[in-house]
Amino acid sequence: VVPGYGMAMSRAQTAMGELASLLRNHNINMKFGVHPVAGRMPGQMNVLLAEAGVPHDWVFEMEEVNQNMDTNDVALIVGANDVVNSAALEVEGCAIWGMPVIEVWKAKKVIFCKRSMGGGYADLDNPVFYKDNTEMLLGDAKKTADGLATKVREILERV
């Protein structure tokens, strides 16, 4: 899971922590990949996840998740955009050209939870939205995260 400003604004961190606990309690490895400047200030995502009760050892820095991104079955992006925007590496001269990003597009499946297809703080289109392995789950992050946690709980209770 890559959290971003949208997760913070909708206060979805508790639901994401619950989802992580549900999955991990069923031996499904879920981790959080945090960009150093995600949100409005460095470290904001780490603080929000800690407040939601997410253990520190479930949270990884950008460099740590990028080196193994191609081994992930799913990259779930919750309210993030610029910090996972492949334009930083693909569109020379754009506003975020050269910025280190979390390379979510290398995962087998990418799911964006966002309110819209709009650009992030840099107001740039995100080429990852249009890659073959990407799905968009549009809506409020809190409602979407609550719904995911509920559905996952129902499915895992039947297993």
Side-chain angles (χ1 to χ4, degrees), residues 2-137:
V2 178
Y5 184 65
M7 183 192 79
M9 289 305 297
S10 68
R11 296 185 171 105
Q13 61 269 21
T14 301
M16 292 310 303
E18 179 186 352
L19 179 61
S21 292
L22 283 167
L23 292 170
R24 285 182 162 257
N25 288 340
H26 285 84
N27 297 318
I28 299 169
N29 186 19
M30 179 177 173
K31 57 190 171 196
F32 292 87
V34 177
H35 192 282
V37 296
R40 289 293 185 244
M41 67 186 104
Q44 182 181 14
M45 297 302 113
N46 300 71
V47 170
L48 292 175
L49 292 171
E51 287 176 352
V54 174
H56 182 71
D57 61 341
W58 295 4
V59 181
F60 297 85
E61 300 300 323
M62 175 180 61
E63 295 81 10
E64 295 172 299
V65 294
N66 272 349
Q67 63 185 317
N68 299 313
M69 188 60 71
D70 60 343
T71 66
N72 289 310
D73 293 322
V74 178
L76 179 64
I77 296 83
V78 182
N81 190 14
D82 295 340
V83 298
V84 294
N85 191 330
S86 66
L89 304 175
E90 298 171 351
V91 183
E92 189 169 348
C94 76
I96 61 170
W97 171 251
M99 180 178 101
V101 293
I102 297 179
E103 299 169 1
V104 296
W105 59 91
K106 293 181 178 178
K108 293 174 184 77
K109 174 61 76 180
V110 179
I111 302 171
F112 273 90
C113 296
K114 289 177 48 81
R115 282 185 303 163
S116 73
M117 300 270 294
Y121 184 77
D123 197 28
L124 290 174
D125 200 25
N126 190 335
V128 182
F129 295 171
Y130 310 102
K131 295 190 184 293
D132 290 339
N133 64 333
T134 299
E135 303 287 339
M136 303 299 292
L137 182 55

